[in-house]
Structures are given as C-alpha cells and as structure tokens.
Amino acid sequence: MKNANNNMQLDGIDKKILRALMKDARTPILEIARGVGISGAAIHQRLRKLEKSGLISGSKFMINPKVLGYTTMAYIGIYLDKAMSNPEAVKQLKQIPEVLECHYTTGNWSIFIKVLCKDNEHLMQVLNKDIQSISGISRTETFISLNQQIDRQIEI
Amino acid sequence: MKNANNNMQLDGIDKKILRALMKDARTPILEIARGVGISGAAIHQRLRKLEKSGLISGSKFMINPKVLGYTTMAYIGIYLDKAMSNPEAVKQLKQIPEVLECHYTTGNWSIFIKVLCKDNEHLMQVLNKDIQSISGISRTETFISLNQQIDRQIEI
DNA sequence: CCTGAAACCCCGTGATG
DNA sequence: CATCACGGGGTTTCAGG
C-alpha cells in the first residue's frame, strides 16, 4: 500500500484528466485531450506520471449487486478474544466472499467489516456459519444498511 | 436505484467479460473476445444486454487517496433528534465533501457515514465544524480505521 | 512539458446466418 | 446468439523543440 507523497502536486489539467476518468474509466483519451486543449500524447505522459506516483490504482467496472439479488448490506463490529491475533482473523475473513471490506478500528471492536448478502437469511448464515465459527471471534454487533444515500470518491 | 431482477442469468461468458472489466475497466473488448473465443461484436451485444439489465452501473478510475495526503478514514454513527428528518440530514451531509458514504441503518444510530480526512486534526474539524453544526444531529460516535485489510467487489 | 505523425489496434454497427 | 466486414477513430510511441 502506497503512502502519502507530499511532493504530489496536481495542476488543473491533471485534475481534469482524473475527473473525467473517475467518472467514466473508458472515456477516450483523445476526447479528454480535446476537452483540455492539449494533444493525446501529452495526456498519455501525464497519465504515466500519475500512475508512477501511485495516485492511480487502476480502473474498475462497477456493478449493481441488487440486480444479482444481493439486497442486504451490513456492517459488523467484531470483538476478538485476546488470544486471537488480528491478522489471523483477517486471513479467515478473506475466505468469506461476502466480506467486502475489513478494517482495524479504534473503539469497542477489534475489527469492523462490511458484508453483502442476498437477504437477511443469507446474512444470518454468514454470521452464524462463517463468521461465528472463526475461533477467536467472541461476539459481533450487526448494523444493517437499510439504504445507501451517498456513495462517492474523494473530490479532486 | 435498480432493484433485484431475478430473471438475470449470467452464463460463463458473461462472467468472464465482467470479471475482466471489473479488474480493469479499460481492457480492450477484443482482448476479452480472444480470451473467451468469440467475436468482439458478440461481446458488444452481451455488454449491451448487461447494461440494459442494470447490472453494469458504469466504470471508474480508482485513485489512492493516501497519495494526496488523505490518511485518516473513519466511520461515524450519528444520532438524530426526533425532530430532524433523515432526508434533511442526508442533504446536509452531501454538502460535506469528506463524507463518502451515508447509510440509514438498523441499530443504535439513525445514520452511519464514512469520512475520509487528511489527518486526525482534519477529522476533528469535520466533526466539530461541519457535522456537529448540522442542527438535528445530537451525538456522534466515531471509529477510526487504522488499516483497511480487505477492499473488493462482490464475486461474479 | 509539449507536439505531430505514423503504425497499429480497437470500436461500434449493420447485414446476415 | 453468433459472425464478418468496414469506416472511423483511438492508442501508443517516437523524434524533436
């Protein structure tokens, strides 16, 4: 994981390039070039520089999981036994495909995860069968997301 | 927001197309075509079908906020006064660029958000100046993500 | 840090089986 | 649901200022 690089300085053209591609990763480079008034080759050079800096970490197609029947998203705070090492717990959580995010956090919990399930029953199975069966996990607290109202990236 | 469409059925080729594009949205269609052994035109047709179904919701360049100095991510549970309508609170939260996600959740909190800040001081300012100053927000509970260990999309 | 040109490759569609 | 063919355009790299 790359760390902060405070030498990173984006000018207006870099920002326009990034904003276009963050909105639609398949925007043609030449279209961006026409938009900002420089050549396609120059955009390429800038993109290479941005990649080398680590700012760009790739591009992804976004899919809407609801269409596949995944309608239940939940956050789960996990308490670990003192004996259980956090990295070992994470290793086990990685094996559960429904776990999409996993954080070490300050506060009550040792670990905080986001899961995506088809429905409440599926969520219950993931909790009872997959998560609770990891030895070292003593207790969990679940928050179901009834509705996600904001979902965006940082502003450039 | 699209809802579940249980008529959606993906065959192996659809899955290969989606997996390639979910990993790298700029993968050339013809490269995928060669990979799965059908023509580019056929991939195009399938992508149109997938778009029409709502499964594909676009493509995004992912950037690594750490490189811009955004090193503090936190989740915040928000308690709202009974008088405050949730939609109004969300509207106000949308004005805060550091707020990247916002959910209605079951459990203790009315609203649950994810924020991304440059450092702890910046987080404190967002909490005290931007969030707490929204009338109707009575109390918050903050969990700082010390480290994100898993970050992925659903498996296709 | 930029440009223009060249070579190569891809896109998206329409006709068709 | 697939294919081929095609015109238009995009990508990428190079030498050069």
Side-chain angles (χ1 to χ4, degrees), chain B residues 32-46:
Chain B
I32 301 173
R34 286 188 294 270
V36 303
I38 63 177
S39 71
I43 307 271
H44 270 276
Q45 277 187 38
R46 283 167 176 269

Side-chain angles (χ1 to χ4, degrees), chain A residues 6-56:
Chain A
N6 290 320
N7 299 327
M8 198 66 224
Q9 202 54 18
L10 302 176
D11 67 12
I13 294 178
D14 288 328
K15 290 182 185 174
K16 281 186 183 171
I17 297 170
L18 287 172
R19 278 197 277 255
L21 292 171
M22 284 170 73
K23 202 157 63 166
D24 177 358
R26 290 187 77 94
T27 313
I29 270 72
L30 283 182
E31 190 178 314
I32 300 173
R34 286 189 293 269
V36 302
I38 63 177
S39 70
I43 307 272
H44 265 276
Q45 283 184 30
R46 283 166 176 270
L47 278 173
R48 267 202 294 275
K49 183 196 67 185
L50 292 170
E51 267 164 33
K52 232 180 51 196
S53 79
L55 213 208
I56 293 175

